[in-house]
Amino acid sequence: MEHRFGNEILTEPLSADELEQLRQFDSGLSHTIGLVITKVSSASAEGYIDIGPQHHQPMGLANGGVFCSVGETLGSVAAVAAAGVPAVGMSNYTDLLSGVHEGRVEAVALPVHLGSSTHLWRVEMRAGGRLAAVTNLKLMVLRGR
């Protein structure tokens, strides 16, 4: 089955079937940490992760690397959806604003800058309605590769 993700600019969001295809294709880190991507279009990407003991650092809070990974993944997916070609992270700057012990963290990636060769995406992650972390992800758009 031909897929749109990475082959065209996604002016219309991925369908439920296309999202499932994307989830099945992803066997990497986002799958390992339990990130579920729920929306992908050229305008945004959304997802969530249910924080539990498997995500904790020794003090019983979600490890900051989890938030960095969520930001990197959603920002990268959003950049590919907006560019229609592969994109790779150049810098990931994540601010950790409040600790999360357990529960759902919802994340939304929105564009800050969409250039022809670089993108900047801001990913806000909220737990229980409060801002837990913010990632600013700069990406290189790989046109012609």
Side-chain angles (χ1 to χ4, degrees), residues 40-112:
V40 177
S41 75
S42 60
S44 67
E46 298 177 12
Y48 68 87
I49 185 171
D50 291 322
I51 299 295
Q54 70 275 24
H55 301 108
H56 288 175
Q57 41 92 317
M59 298 306 297
L61 296 170
N63 188 293
V66 172
F67 296 100
C68 296
S69 297
V70 170
E72 177 91 21
T73 301
L74 275 187
S76 295
V77 166
V80 171
V85 297
V88 295
M90 295 171 62
S91 70
N92 177 329
Y93 188 95
T94 300
D95 287 304
L96 307 171
L97 304 171
S98 61
V100 177
H101 297 278
E102 63 182 3
R104 182 156 292 180
V105 172
E106 297 178 336
V108 177
L110 295 170
V112 175

Side-chain angles (χ1 to χ4, degrees), residues 23 25 52 65 67 84 98 127 135:
R23 284 187 207 110
F25 179 72
F67 296 100
S98 61
T135 294

Side-chain angles (χ1 to χ4, degrees), residues 4-144:
R4 297 185 302 138
F5 182 74
N7 292 310
E8 65 182 69
I9 296 172
L10 298 180
T11 54
E12 294 294 320
L14 290 179
S15 68
D17 287 343
E18 290 171 315
L19 281 170
E20 183 57 33
Q21 228 180 2
L22 182 62
R23 284 187 207 110
Q24 288 178 3
F25 179 72
D26 182 13
S27 60
L29 180 61
S30 59
H31 173 77
T32 300
I33 65 172
L35 176 63
V36 177
I37 298 172
T38 58
K39 179 184 175 191
V40 177
S41 75
S42 60
S44 67
E46 298 177 12
Y48 68 87
I49 185 171
D50 291 322
I51 299 295
Q54 70 275 24
H55 301 108
H56 288 175
Q57 41 92 317
M59 298 306 297
L61 296 170
N63 188 293
V66 172
F67 296 100
C68 296
S69 297
V70 170
E72 177 91 21
T73 301
L74 275 187
S76 295
V77 166
V80 171
V85 297
V88 295
M90 295 171 62
S91 70
N92 177 329
Y93 188 95
T94 300
D95 287 304
L96 307 171
L97 304 171
S98 61
V100 177
H101 297 278
E102 63 182 3
R104 182 156 292 180
V105 172
E106 297 178 336
V108 177
L110 295 170
V112 175
H113 166 75
L114 300 177
S116 61
S117 61
T118 61
H119 284 195
L120 179 63
W121 288 80
R122 178 182 171 93
V123 183
E124 292 189 356
M125 293 161 264
R126 296 180 181 277
R130 76 182 192 286
L131 194 58
V134 176
T135 294
N136 285 297
L137 183 69
K138 183 169 75 171
L139 302 108
M140 180 185 311
V141 177
L142 302 176
R143 297 192 189 281

